[in-house]
Amino acid sequence: MKVLFIGNSHTYVHYVPVRTAAFCAQMGRPIEIAMLTYPGVGLDWHLRQHQTFGNLLYGSYDGVVLQHNAHPFPGRESLLAAGAALAEIIPKEMKMYLYMTWSEKKNPEGQAAMSAAYKDLARKIGAAVCPVGEIWQAAVNAHPEEEFYRSDGEHSSLLGASLAASVIGRTLLGLEVETGLCYADAKGLEKLALDRRMPDV
């Protein structure tokens, strides 16, 4: 399975796609990954980039993982408009996955609107939801001793990125997505050693 990740820093911080690939390999179902990411942008920005069209139309991917702005979340209409426009250019044979992000540490009540918007888009374009934000909030509540956020209260810690990778990986493979299972996966993925030449932020 060849998967393209399109998003921003919530995709590239601590290399969520690389950790997703590691999880899938551990499950005996390896995937190939590529990512198109840029800090602070949404899916509407990616719609204006040549590399988006080149990869979607000619990259021969089996699946694409889409991630919109998160902090601040620009709202349901922004997500639906950009997601629907992208779906128009995604080949019919390419499976679409939506990477539902998490709300800010100081704004946990914001998760409900974000979750609902991603689910609305999924119904509109026939995509599967990777419910990272919902599992994230459940894990935060279940493990107050852990830190899932970076110091800015928005981006992921290493553990948070590993949790996101577990949720996405389980969704890609059609496995059960449950807080306890994903947290256990994340504790293992947290120890993943990346190539030292890869810059991390």
Side-chain angles (χ1 to χ4, degrees), residues 10 34 38 60 77 96 99 117 136 147 150 169 172 193 196:
H10 298 297
Y38 196 79
S60 299
E77 295 309 316
M96 295 180 288
Y99 174 0
W136 179 292
E147 184 52 80
R150 289 184 72 178
L172 291 175
R196 286 181 295 176

Side-chain angles (χ1 to χ4, degrees), residues 1-2 127 133 192:
M1 187 179 189
K2 186 178 177 184
L192 180 68

Side-chain angles (χ1 to χ4, degrees), residues 121-199:
L121 176 59
R123 285 189 289 269
K124 183 174 182 177
I125 66 174
V129 177
C130 305
V132 176
E134 293 181 337
I135 296 296
W136 179 292
Q137 297 299 338
V140 166
N141 292 332
H143 298 280
E145 76 284 2
E146 299 278 21
E147 184 52 80
F148 294 88
Y149 291 89
R150 289 184 72 178
S151 57
D152 63 6
E154 297 180 355
H155 290 87
S156 62
S157 66
L158 186 57
L159 179 60
S162 299
L163 185 72
S166 168
V167 176
I168 295 169
R170 284 181 170 275
T171 306
L172 291 175
L173 300 183
L175 301 175
E176 181 182 3
V177 179
E178 184 272 330
T179 305
L181 293 173
C182 294
Y183 173 73
D185 296 337
K187 293 301 289 182
L189 291 171
E190 190 180 24
K191 301 178 179 67
L192 180 68
L194 301 181
D195 189 307
R196 286 181 295 176
R197 295 170 293 183
M198 296 167 66

Side-chain angles (χ1 to χ4, degrees), residues 23-180:
F23 170 80
C24 293
Q26 291 169 8
M27 295 294 106
R29 296 167 64 184
I31 64 171
E32 296 179 43
I33 57 163
M35 66 180 189
L36 298 176
T37 57
Y38 196 79
V41 303
L43 296 177
D44 50 340
W45 182 87
H46 285 286
L47 274 166
R48 300 190 297 272
Q49 309 309 311
H50 294 85
Q51 62 266 30
T52 304
F53 289 84
N55 275 273
L56 288 175
L57 296 176
Y58 299 103
S60 299
Y61 295 97
D62 301 297
V64 58
V65 179
L66 305 174
Q67 182 250 315
H68 196 41
N69 300 98
H71 305 136
F73 178 56
R76 175 182 180 277
E77 295 309 316
S78 172
L79 175 62
L80 264 63
L86 263 176
E88 287 294 319
I89 63 170
I90 293 172
K92 295 277 191 277
E93 63 274 14
M94 191 183 302
K95 178 71 174 175
M96 295 180 288
Y97 299 89
L98 304 181
Y99 174 0
M100 175 202 291
T101 40
W102 52 91
S103 59
E104 301 92 329
K105 188 174 185 178
K106 66 182 180 182
N107 181 35
E109 61 275 10
Q111 187 62 49
M114 189 182 292
S115 297
Y118 272 92
K119 291 174 183 177
D120 286 347
L121 176 59
R123 285 189 289 269
K124 183 174 182 177
I125 66 174
V129 177
C130 305
V132 176
E134 293 181 337
I135 296 296
W136 179 292
Q137 297 299 338
V140 166
N141 292 332
H143 298 280
E145 76 284 2
E146 299 278 21
E147 184 52 80
F148 294 88
Y149 291 89
R150 289 184 72 178
S151 57
D152 63 6
E154 297 180 355
H155 290 87
S156 62
S157 66
L158 186 57
L159 179 60
S162 299
L163 185 72
S166 168
V167 176
I168 295 169
R170 284 181 170 275
T171 306
L172 291 175
L173 300 183
L175 301 175
E176 181 182 3
V177 179
E178 184 272 330
T179 305

